[in-house]
Amino acid sequence: MSSLVNLISGIFRSNGSGSPLPIGFDLSTEKLHMLQVEKKNSTISIRAFISVPYPVPRQDLMSSPGALRKFVHGALKSKPFTGRKIVSCLPNNAARILNLNYKSTPGTDEAELIVKSVLERIGGHAQDYVIDYLPIRSEEGKDDQRTALAAVAKRDEVIEYLEIIDGIGLDIAAIDIGPSALRRLVAFLDREGDFPNVLLINFGRIKSYLTVTTGRRLMMDREVNFGEHQLVSELNKVLEISEGQAIKFLYGYGFDGDVASRQEGQGDEEAKEIIATIGAILKPVFLQFVEEVNKALIYTASKTRGGSIKKIYLVGSVARYPAADQFLADMLSIPVEVLNPFAEFAACSDCAVLADPDSIAGIALAAGFALRGIYDYA
């Protein structure tokens, strides 16, 4: 297996914990999300968190070390964060997750087999990539047929990100990946094991990601061509409105009929008409996405001897639309809810947790990063 220092190696495994605990650090598309926990006896509580918009587009900020340093340190000082050690991920989903099926025979090196399979899939050379993997299970009745998840990142992109973080005075404890962090958070929130098979949907701007966890294990991560841009474009085309107005409709109204009574300066009937129109226009688009979700459900059943997904969690852009969870639940006939990192944390009194809808949907990755090493099942 190829690894870069000890930061990527062990992506799927715990790397221990120190004092103070690392800060979960997520440079998302529109905001910096940070969350830090602390552990006292068996209680894990939130020490501090923040979700703050960028003053300029993210790419502009990251290309200006001085401005990025000022922005990040200002956010750190505004809340009771301790230390400068972080757990983060590569921006722009630079680390790919591949589902691999391979044949293992006695005497073969499993790591070499998996790395070879990854390189054949992506068409690259080992020296150009950082690769880690997680064996999943053997196929029932076929001991030589194996399944694994592999995390792959371009070595140059890893080095570039490490240099950016070093330049702003932070110390990376580990580079993580989104699916692994979300799996960790779900395991923490579902410590009673009420939902052994869970599907997480992380909605992005252009693409979305379907992640299946079974028990406390990460079983599948799949990229699909569906995102907020597609929804905005559809509203733009059908209603002949600007992109900004379409986004305003999605975040202000979404699919929630109750929003009508909360819109200032607007009659209930007009608001209800807007909401009904949004639903009618976007339902066909979502039905195409539902087909991809159903493929994930079928895959889960095939790998778990008929096990079914008991709950679906949402994070990312679409999760912030009013009533998006119920809208999808009606189409999937499975309980759907926004993944709420604050649901089971005991909040410290001085961190002033305000679980507003935007924070709930946006800070899930940072929460999963913050739990690495202190609540980690691989």
Side-chain angles (χ1 to χ4, degrees), residues 162-245:
L162 294 179
E163 290 176 343
I164 288 173
I165 296 302
D166 183 64
I168 57 177
L170 300 180
D171 177 20
I172 290 192
I175 294 289
D176 209 334
I177 55 172
S180 185
L182 292 176
R183 179 269 309 167
R184 189 179 302 121
L185 178 59
V186 168
F188 175 77
L189 296 179
D190 187 31
R191 295 190 295 280
E192 300 300 322
D194 294 329
F195 304 104
N197 299 320
V198 171
L199 171 64
L200 298 108
I201 305 177
N202 187 0
F203 293 101
R205 175 66 175 164
I206 304 298
K207 296 181 182 294
S208 296
Y209 302 86
L210 308 180
T211 302
V212 174
T213 65
T214 176
R216 295 185 173 96
R217 301 295 299 272
L218 181 63
M219 189 177 76
M220 183 205 82
D221 185 74
R222 179 176 295 165
E223 178 185 276
V224 296
N225 291 316
F226 178 89
E228 182 173 83
H229 177 73
Q230 188 175 352
L231 302 175
V232 170
S233 296
E234 190 68 13
L235 290 179
N236 177 276
K237 179 181 68 175
V238 176
L239 297 178
E240 298 182 343
I241 57 177
S242 67
E243 179 178 325
Q245 187 63 47

Coordinates of all heavy atoms in Angstrom, one line a residue, residues 162-245:
L162 N -1.7 19.8 2.4 CA -0.9 19.8 3.6 C -0.1 21.1 3.7 O 0.1 21.7 4.8 CB 0.1 18.6 3.6 CG -0.5 17.2 3.8 CD1 0.5 16.2 3.8 CD2 -1.4 17.1 5.0
E163 N 0.5 21.6 2.6 CA 1.2 22.8 2.6 C 0.3 24.0 2.9 O 0.7 25.0 3.6 CB 1.9 23.0 1.2 CG 3.1 22.0 1.0 CD 3.7 22.1 -0.4 OE1 3.0 22.7 -1.2 OE2 4.8 21.6 -0.6
I164 N -0.9 24.0 2.4 CA -1.9 25.1 2.7 C -2.2 25.2 4.2 O -2.1 26.2 4.8 CB -3.2 24.9 1.8 CG1 -2.9 25.2 0.4 CG2 -4.3 25.8 2.4 CD1 -4.1 24.9 -0.5
I165 N -2.4 24.0 4.7 CA -2.8 23.9 6.2 C -1.6 24.3 7.0 O -1.7 25.1 8.0 CB -3.3 22.5 6.5 CG1 -4.6 22.2 5.8 CG2 -3.5 22.4 8.1 CD1 -5.7 23.2 6.1
D166 N -0.4 23.9 6.6 CA 0.8 24.3 7.4 C 1.0 25.8 7.3 O 1.5 26.4 8.3 CB 2.0 23.5 6.8 CG 3.3 23.8 7.6 OD1 3.4 23.5 8.8 OD2 4.2 24.4 7.0
G167 N 0.7 26.4 6.1 CA 0.9 27.8 5.9 C 0.1 28.7 6.8 O 0.4 29.8 7.0
I168 N -1.1 28.1 7.3 CA -2.0 28.9 8.1 C -1.8 28.6 9.6 O -2.6 29.0 10.5 CB -3.4 28.8 7.7 CG1 -3.9 27.4 7.7 CG2 -3.6 29.4 6.3 CD1 -5.4 27.2 7.4
G169 N -0.7 27.8 9.9 CA -0.4 27.5 11.3 C -1.2 26.4 12.0 O -1.3 26.4 13.2
L170 N -1.8 25.5 11.2 CA -2.5 24.4 11.8 C -1.7 23.1 11.6 O -0.8 23.0 10.8 CB -3.9 24.2 11.1 CG -4.8 25.4 11.3 CD1 -6.1 25.1 10.6 CD2 -5.1 25.8 12.7
D171 N -2.0 22.1 12.5 CA -1.2 20.9 12.5 C -2.2 19.8 12.2 O -3.2 19.5 12.9 CB -0.6 20.7 13.8 CG 0.1 19.3 13.9 OD1 0.5 18.7 12.9 OD2 0.4 18.9 15.1
I172 N -2.0 19.1 11.0 CA -3.0 18.0 10.7 C -2.7 16.7 11.4 O -1.6 16.1 11.3 CB -3.0 17.8 9.1 CG1 -3.6 18.9 8.4 CG2 -3.7 16.5 8.8 CD1 -3.9 18.7 7.0
A173 N -3.6 16.2 12.2 CA -3.5 14.9 12.9 C -3.7 13.8 11.9 O -3.1 12.7 12.0 CB -4.4 14.9 14.1
A174 N -4.7 14.0 11.0 CA -5.0 13.0 10.0 C -5.8 13.6 8.9 O -6.5 14.5 9.0 CB -5.8 11.9 10.7
I175 N -5.6 13.0 7.7 CA -6.4 13.3 6.5 C -7.5 12.2 6.5 O -7.2 11.0 6.5 CB -5.7 13.3 5.2 CG1 -4.7 14.4 5.2 CG2 -6.6 13.3 4.0 CD1 -5.3 15.8 5.0
D176 N -8.8 12.6 6.6 CA -9.9 11.6 6.6 C -10.6 11.7 5.3 O -10.2 12.5 4.4 CB -10.8 11.9 7.8 CG -11.5 10.7 8.3 OD1 -11.7 9.7 7.6 OD2 -11.9 10.7 9.5
I177 N -11.7 10.9 5.1 CA -12.5 11.0 4.0 C -14.0 11.1 4.4 O -14.3 10.7 5.5 CB -12.4 9.8 3.0 CG1 -12.6 8.5 3.8 CG2 -11.0 9.8 2.3 CD1 -12.7 7.3 2.9
G178 N -14.8 11.8 3.6 CA -16.2 12.1 4.0 C -17.0 10.8 4.4 O -17.6 10.8 5.5
P179 N -17.0 9.8 3.6 CA -17.8 8.6 3.9 C -17.4 8.0 5.3 O -18.3 7.6 6.1 CB -17.5 7.6 2.8 CG -17.2 8.5 1.6 CD -16.4 9.6 2.2
S180 N -16.1 7.9 5.6 CA -15.6 7.4 6.8 C -16.1 8.2 8.0 O -16.5 7.7 9.0 CB -14.1 7.2 6.8 OG -13.7 6.6 7.9
A181 N -16.0 9.6 7.8 CA -16.4 10.5 8.9 C -17.9 10.4 9.2 O -18.3 10.4 10.3 CB -16.0 11.9 8.5
L182 N -18.7 10.3 8.1 CA -20.1 10.2 8.3 C -20.5 8.8 8.9 O -21.4 8.8 9.8 CB -20.9 10.3 6.9 CG -20.8 11.7 6.3 CD1 -21.4 11.7 4.9 CD2 -21.4 12.8 7.2
R183 N -19.8 7.8 8.5 CA -20.1 6.5 9.2 C -19.8 6.5 10.7 O -20.5 6.0 11.5 CB -19.2 5.4 8.5 CG -19.3 4.0 9.0 CD -18.3 3.7 10.1 NE -17.0 4.0 9.8 CZ -16.0 4.1 10.6 NH1 -16.2 3.9 11.9 NH2 -14.8 4.4 10.2
R184 N -18.7 7.2 11.0 CA -18.3 7.4 12.4 C -19.4 8.1 13.2 O -19.8 7.8 14.3 CB -17.0 8.1 12.5 CG -16.3 8.1 13.9 CD -15.0 8.9 13.8 NE -14.1 8.2 12.8 CZ -13.6 8.9 11.7 NH1 -13.9 10.1 11.5 NH2 -12.8 8.2 10.9
L185 N -19.9 9.2 12.6 CA -21.0 10.0 13.2 C -22.2 9.2 13.4 O -22.9 9.2 14.5 CB -21.2 11.3 12.4 CG -22.3 12.2 13.0 CD1 -22.0 12.7 14.4 CD2 -22.5 13.4 12.0
V186 N -22.6 8.5 12.4 CA -23.8 7.6 12.5 C -23.7 6.6 13.6 O -24.6 6.4 14.4 CB -24.1 7.0 11.1 CG1 -25.2 5.9 11.3 CG2 -24.6 8.0 10.1
A187 N -22.5 6.0 13.7 CA -22.3 5.0 14.7 C -22.4 5.6 16.1 O -23.0 5.0 17.0 CB -20.9 4.3 14.6
F188 N -21.9 6.8 16.2 CA -22.0 7.5 17.5 C -23.5 7.9 17.9 O -24.0 7.7 19.0 CB -21.2 8.8 17.5 CG -21.3 9.7 18.7 CD1 -20.7 9.3 19.9 CD2 -22.1 10.8 18.7 CE1 -20.8 10.1 21.0 CE2 -22.3 11.6 19.9 CZ -21.6 11.2 21.0
L189 N -24.2 8.3 16.9 CA -25.6 8.7 17.1 C -26.5 7.5 17.3 O -27.6 7.6 18.0 CB -26.2 9.5 15.9 CG -25.5 10.9 15.7 CD1 -26.1 11.6 14.5 CD2 -25.6 11.8 16.9
D190 N -26.1 6.4 16.8 CA -27.0 5.2 16.9 C -26.3 4.1 17.7 O -26.1 3.0 17.3 CB -27.2 4.6 15.5 CG -28.3 3.4 15.5 OD1 -29.1 3.4 16.4 OD2 -28.1 2.5 14.6
R191 N -25.8 4.5 18.9 CA -25.1 3.6 19.8 C -25.9 2.4 20.3 O -25.3 1.4 20.6 CB -24.5 4.4 21.0 CG -23.5 5.4 20.6 CD -22.8 6.1 21.7 NE -23.6 6.8 22.6 CZ -24.0 8.1 22.4 NH1 -23.7 8.7 21.3 NH2 -24.8 8.7 23.3
E192 N -27.2 2.5 20.2 CA -28.1 1.4 20.6 C -28.3 0.4 19.5 O -28.8 -0.7 19.7 CB -29.4 1.9 21.1 CG -29.4 2.9 22.3 CD -28.8 2.3 23.5 OE1 -29.0 1.1 23.7 OE2 -28.0 2.9 24.2
G193 N -27.8 0.7 18.3 CA -27.9 -0.2 17.2 C -29.3 -0.4 16.7 O -29.7 -1.4 16.2
D194 N -30.1 0.7 16.7 CA -31.5 0.6 16.3 C -31.6 0.5 14.8 O -32.6 -0.1 14.2 CB -32.3 1.8 16.8 CG -32.4 1.9 18.3 OD1 -32.5 0.8 18.9 OD2 -32.5 3.0 18.8
F195 N -30.6 1.0 14.1 CA -30.7 1.0 12.6 C -29.4 0.4 12.0 O -28.5 1.1 11.7 CB -30.9 2.4 12.1 CG -32.1 3.1 12.6 CD1 -32.0 4.1 13.6 CD2 -33.4 2.8 12.2 CE1 -33.1 4.7 14.2 CE2 -34.5 3.4 12.8 CZ -34.3 4.4 13.7
P196 N -29.4 -0.9 12.0 CA -28.1 -1.6 11.6 C -27.7 -1.3 10.1 O -26.5 -1.3 9.9 CB -28.5 -3.1 11.7 CG -30.0 -3.2 11.6 CD -30.5 -1.9 12.3
N197 N -28.6 -1.0 9.2 CA -28.3 -0.7 7.9 C -28.8 0.7 7.6 O -30.0 0.9 7.6 CB -28.9 -1.7 6.9 CG -28.4 -3.1 7.1 OD1 -27.2 -3.3 7.4 ND2 -29.3 -4.1 7.0
V198 N -27.9 1.6 7.2 CA -28.2 3.0 7.1 C -27.7 3.5 5.7 O -26.5 3.1 5.4 CB -27.7 3.9 8.2 CG1 -27.8 5.3 7.9 CG2 -28.4 3.5 9.5
L199 N -28.4 4.3 5.1 CA -28.0 5.0 3.8 C -27.8 6.5 4.1 O -28.7 7.1 4.6 CB -28.9 4.8 2.7 CG -28.7 5.6 1.4 CD1 -27.4 5.2 0.8 CD2 -29.8 5.5 0.4
L200 N -26.6 7.0 3.9 CA -26.4 8.4 4.0 C -26.3 9.0 2.6 O -25.6 8.5 1.7 CB -25.1 8.7 4.7 CG -24.9 8.2 6.1 CD1 -24.0 7.0 6.2 CD2 -24.4 9.3 7.0
I201 N -27.0 10.1 2.4 CA -27.0 10.9 1.1 C -26.3 12.2 1.4 O -26.9 13.0 2.1 CB -28.4 11.0 0.5 CG1 -29.1 9.6 0.4 CG2 -28.3 11.7 -0.8 CD1 -30.5 9.7 -0.2
N202 N -25.2 12.4 0.7 CA -24.5 13.7 0.9 C -24.7 14.5 -0.5 O -24.1 14.1 -1.5 CB -23.0 13.5 1.2 CG -22.3 14.7 1.5 OD1 -22.8 15.8 1.4 ND2 -21.0 14.6 1.7
F203 N -25.5 15.5 -0.4 CA -25.8 16.3 -1.6 C -24.8 17.3 -1.9 O -24.5 18.2 -1.0 CB -27.2 16.9 -1.5 CG -28.3 15.9 -1.5 CD1 -29.0 15.6 -0.3 CD2 -28.8 15.4 -2.7 CE1 -30.0 14.7 -0.3 CE2 -29.9 14.5 -2.7 CZ -30.5 14.1 -1.5
G204 N -24.2 17.3 -3.1 CA -23.2 18.4 -3.4 C -23.8 19.3 -4.5 O -25.0 19.2 -4.9
R205 N -22.9 20.1 -5.0 CA -23.3 21.1 -6.0 C -23.6 20.4 -7.4 O -24.6 20.7 -8.0 CB -22.2 22.2 -6.2 CG -22.4 23.2 -7.3 CD -23.6 24.1 -7.0 NE -23.7 25.1 -8.0 CZ -24.8 25.9 -8.2 NH1 -25.9 25.7 -7.4 NH2 -24.8 26.8 -9.1
I206 N -22.7 19.5 -7.8 CA -22.8 18.9 -9.1 C -23.1 17.4 -8.9 O -23.9 16.8 -9.6 CB -21.5 19.0 -9.9 CG1 -21.1 20.5 -10.1 CG2 -21.6 18.4 -11.2 CD1 -22.2 21.3 -10.8
K207 N -22.4 16.8 -7.9 CA -22.6 15.3 -7.7 C -23.1 15.1 -6.3 O -22.9 15.9 -5.4 CB -21.3 14.6 -8.0 CG -20.9 14.7 -9.4 CD -19.6 13.9 -9.6 CE -19.1 14.0 -11.1 NZ -20.0 13.3 -12.0
S208 N -23.6 13.9 -6.0 CA -24.0 13.5 -4.7 C -23.4 12.2 -4.4 O -22.9 11.5 -5.3 CB -25.5 13.5 -4.5 OG -26.1 14.8 -4.7
Y209 N -23.4 11.8 -3.1 CA -22.7 10.5 -2.7 C -23.6 9.7 -1.9 O -24.2 10.2 -0.9 CB -21.4 10.9 -2.0 CG -20.5 11.7 -2.9 CD1 -20.7 13.1 -2.9 CD2 -19.6 11.2 -3.7 CE1 -19.9 13.9 -3.8 CE2 -18.8 11.9 -4.6 CZ -18.9 13.3 -4.6 OH -18.2 14.1 -5.4
L210 N -23.7 8.4 -2.2 CA -24.6 7.5 -1.5 C -23.6 6.6 -0.7 O -22.8 5.9 -1.3 CB -25.4 6.6 -2.4 CG -26.3 7.4 -3.5 CD1 -27.0 6.4 -4.3 CD2 -27.2 8.4 -2.8
T211 N -23.7 6.6 0.6 CA -22.9 5.8 1.5 C -23.7 4.9 2.3 O -24.7 5.4 3.0 CB -22.1 6.8 2.4 OG1 -21.3 7.7 1.6 CG2 -21.1 6.0 3.3
V212 N -23.4 3.6 2.3 CA -24.1 2.6 3.1 C -23.3 2.2 4.2 O -22.1 1.8 4.0 CB -24.5 1.4 2.2 CG1 -25.2 0.3 3.1 CG2 -25.5 1.9 1.1
T213 N -23.8 2.2 5.4 CA -23.1 1.6 6.6 C -24.0 0.4 7.1 O -25.2 0.5 7.1 CB -23.0 2.6 7.7 OG1 -24.3 3.0 8.2 CG2 -22.3 3.9 7.3
T214 N -23.3 -0.6 7.5 CA -24.0 -1.8 8.0 C -23.4 -2.1 9.4 O -22.2 -2.3 9.5 CB -23.9 -3.0 7.1 OG1 -24.5 -4.1 7.7 CG2 -22.5 -3.3 6.7
G215 N -24.2 -1.9 10.4 CA -23.7 -2.0 11.8 C -22.8 -0.7 11.9 O -23.2 0.4 11.7
R216 N -21.5 -1.0 12.3 CA -20.6 0.2 12.4 C -19.6 0.1 11.3 O -18.5 0.7 11.4 CB -19.9 0.1 13.8 CG -20.8 0.3 14.9 CD -20.1 0.4 16.2 NE -20.9 0.8 17.3 CZ -21.5 -0.1 18.2 NH1 -21.3 -1.4 18.0 NH2 -22.3 0.3 19.1
R217 N -19.9 -0.6 10.2 CA -18.9 -0.7 9.1 C -19.4 0.1 7.9 O -20.6 0.2 7.6 CB -18.8 -2.2 8.7 CG -18.3 -3.1 9.8 CD -16.9 -2.8 10.2 NE -15.9 -2.9 9.1 CZ -15.3 -4.0 8.8 NH1 -15.5 -5.1 9.6 NH2 -14.4 -4.1 7.8
L218 N -18.4 0.6 7.2 CA -18.7 1.3 5.9 C -18.7 0.2 4.8 O -17.7 -0.5 4.7 CB -17.6 2.3 5.7 CG -17.6 3.1 4.4 CD1 -18.8 4.0 4.4 CD2 -16.4 4.0 4.3
M219 N -19.8 0.1 4.1 CA -19.9 -1.0 3.1 C -19.9 -0.5 1.7 O -19.4 -1.2 0.8 CB -21.3 -1.7 3.4 CG -21.4 -3.0 2.5 SD -22.9 -3.9 2.8 CE -24.1 -2.8 1.9
M220 N -20.4 0.7 1.4 CA -20.4 1.2 0.0 C -20.4 2.7 0.0 O -21.0 3.3 0.8 CB -21.7 0.7 -0.6 CG -21.9 1.0 -2.1 SD -23.6 1.1 -2.7 CE -24.1 2.7 -2.2
D221 N -19.7 3.2 -1.0 CA -19.8 4.6 -1.3 C -19.9 4.8 -2.8 O -19.0 4.3 -3.5 CB -18.6 5.4 -0.7 CG -18.7 6.9 -0.9 OD1 -19.5 7.5 -0.2 OD2 -18.1 7.4 -1.8
R222 N -20.9 5.5 -3.3 CA -21.1 5.6 -4.7 C -21.4 7.0 -5.1 O -22.2 7.7 -4.5 CB -22.3 4.7 -5.1 CG -22.6 4.7 -6.6 CD -23.7 3.7 -6.9 NE -23.3 2.3 -6.7 CZ -24.1 1.3 -6.6 NH1 -25.4 1.4 -6.7 NH2 -23.6 0.1 -6.3
E223 N -20.8 7.5 -6.2 CA -21.0 8.8 -6.7 C -22.1 8.8 -7.7 O -22.1 7.9 -8.6 CB -19.7 9.4 -7.3 CG -19.8 10.7 -7.9 CD -18.4 11.1 -8.6 OE1 -17.5 11.6 -7.9 OE2 -18.3 10.9 -9.8
V224 N -23.0 9.8 -7.7 CA -24.0 9.8 -8.7 C -24.1 11.2 -9.3 O -23.8 12.2 -8.6 CB -25.4 9.4 -8.1 CG1 -25.4 8.0 -7.7 CG2 -25.8 10.4 -6.9
N225 N -24.5 11.4 -10.5 CA -24.6 12.6 -11.2 C -25.9 13.3 -10.8 O -26.9 13.3 -11.6 CB -24.5 12.5 -12.7 CG -23.1 12.0 -13.1 OD1 -22.1 12.6 -12.6 ND2 -23.0 11.0 -14.0
F226 N -26.0 13.9 -9.7 CA -27.2 14.6 -9.2 C -26.7 15.6 -8.2 O -25.9 15.3 -7.2 CB -28.2 13.6 -8.6 CG -29.4 14.3 -8.1 CD1 -30.5 14.5 -8.9 CD2 -29.5 14.7 -6.7 CE1 -31.7 15.1 -8.4 CE2 -30.6 15.4 -6.2 CZ -31.7 15.5 -7.1
G227 N -27.2 16.9 -8.3 CA -26.8 17.9 -7.3 C -27.7 19.1 -7.4 O -28.6 19.2 -8.2
E228 N -27.3 20.1 -6.6 CA -28.2 21.3 -6.5 C -28.2 22.0 -7.8 O -29.2 22.6 -8.2 CB -27.6 22.2 -5.4 CG -28.4 23.4 -5.2 CD -28.0 24.2 -4.0 OE1 -27.0 25.0 -4.1 OE2 -28.6 24.1 -2.9
H229 N -27.1 22.0 -8.6 CA -27.0 22.7 -9.8 C -28.1 22.2 -10.8 O -28.8 23.0 -11.5 CB -25.7 22.5 -10.5 CG -25.6 23.1 -11.8 ND1 -25.5 24.5 -12.0 CD2 -25.5 22.6 -13.1 CE1 -25.4 24.7 -13.3 NE2 -25.4 23.6 -14.0
Q230 N -28.4 20.9 -10.8 CA -29.4 20.3 -11.6 C -30.8 20.8 -11.2 O -31.6 21.1 -12.1 CB -29.4 18.8 -11.5 CG -30.3 18.0 -12.5 CD -30.1 16.5 -12.4 OE1 -29.2 16.1 -11.7 NE2 -30.9 15.8 -13.1
L231 N -31.1 21.0 -9.9 CA -32.4 21.4 -9.5 C -32.5 22.9 -9.8 O -33.6 23.3 -10.2 CB -32.5 21.2 -8.0 CG -32.3 19.8 -7.5 CD1 -32.3 19.7 -6.0 CD2 -33.4 18.9 -8.1
V232 N -31.5 23.7 -9.6 CA -31.6 25.1 -9.9 C -31.8 25.3 -11.4 O -32.6 26.2 -11.8 CB -30.3 25.8 -9.4 CG1 -30.2 27.2 -9.9 CG2 -30.2 25.8 -7.9
S233 N -31.1 24.6 -12.2 CA -31.2 24.7 -13.7 C -32.6 24.4 -14.1 O -33.2 25.0 -15.0 CB -30.2 23.8 -14.4 OG -28.9 24.2 -14.1
E234 N -33.3 23.4 -13.5 CA -34.6 23.0 -13.9 C -35.6 24.1 -13.5 O -36.5 24.4 -14.3 CB -35.0 21.7 -13.2 CG -36.3 21.1 -13.7 CD -36.2 20.5 -15.1 OE1 -35.1 20.4 -15.6 OE2 -37.3 20.2 -15.7
L235 N -35.5 24.7 -12.3 CA -36.4 25.8 -12.0 C -36.1 27.0 -12.9 O -37.0 27.7 -13.3 CB -36.1 26.2 -10.5 CG -36.6 25.2 -9.4 CD1 -36.3 25.7 -8.0 CD2 -38.1 24.9 -9.6
N236 N -34.8 27.2 -13.2 CA -34.5 28.3 -14.1 C -35.1 28.2 -15.4 O -35.6 29.2 -16.0 CB -32.9 28.4 -14.2 CG -32.5 29.5 -15.1 OD1 -32.4 29.3 -16.3 ND2 -32.1 30.6 -14.6
K237 N -35.1 27.0 -16.0 CA -35.6 26.7 -17.3 C -37.1 26.8 -17.3 O -37.7 27.4 -18.2 CB -35.2 25.3 -17.8 CG -35.7 24.9 -19.1 CD -35.2 23.5 -19.5 CE -35.8 22.5 -18.7 NZ -35.5 21.1 -19.1
V238 N -37.8 26.2 -16.4 CA -39.3 26.1 -16.4 C -39.9 27.4 -16.0 O -40.9 27.8 -16.6 CB -39.8 24.9 -15.5 CG1 -41.3 24.9 -15.5 CG2 -39.2 23.6 -16.0
L239 N -39.4 28.0 -15.0 CA -40.0 29.2 -14.5 C -39.5 30.5 -15.1 O -40.0 31.6 -14.9 CB -39.9 29.3 -13.0 CG -40.5 28.2 -12.2 CD1 -40.2 28.4 -10.7 CD2 -42.0 28.2 -12.4
E240 N -38.4 30.4 -15.9 CA -37.7 31.5 -16.5 C -37.3 32.5 -15.4 O -37.6 33.7 -15.5 CB -38.6 32.1 -17.6 CG -38.9 31.2 -18.7 CD -39.7 31.8 -19.8 OE1 -40.3 32.9 -19.6 OE2 -39.7 31.3 -20.9
I241 N -36.6 32.1 -14.4 CA -36.2 32.9 -13.3 C -34.7 32.8 -13.2 O -34.0 31.9 -13.8 CB -36.8 32.5 -11.9 CG1 -36.5 31.1 -11.6 CG2 -38.3 32.8 -12.0 CD1 -37.0 30.6 -10.2
S242 N -34.0 33.7 -12.5 CA -32.6 33.8 -12.4 C -32.1 32.6 -11.4 O -32.9 32.1 -10.7 CB -32.1 35.1 -11.8 OG -32.5 35.2 -10.5
E243 N -30.9 32.3 -11.5 CA -30.3 31.3 -10.6 C -30.5 31.7 -9.2 O -30.8 30.9 -8.3 CB -28.8 31.1 -10.9 CG -28.2 30.0 -10.0 CD -26.7 29.8 -10.4 OE1 -26.4 29.8 -11.6 OE2 -25.9 29.5 -9.5
G244 N -30.2 33.0 -8.9 CA -30.4 33.5 -7.5 C -31.8 33.3 -7.0 O -32.0 33.0 -5.8
Q245 N -32.8 33.6 -7.8 CA -34.2 33.5 -7.4 C -34.5 32.0 -7.2 O -35.2 31.7 -6.2 CB -35.1 34.0 -8.5 CG -36.6 34.1 -8.0 CD -36.8 35.0 -6.8 OE1 -36.3 36.1 -6.8 NE2 -37.5 34.5 -5.9

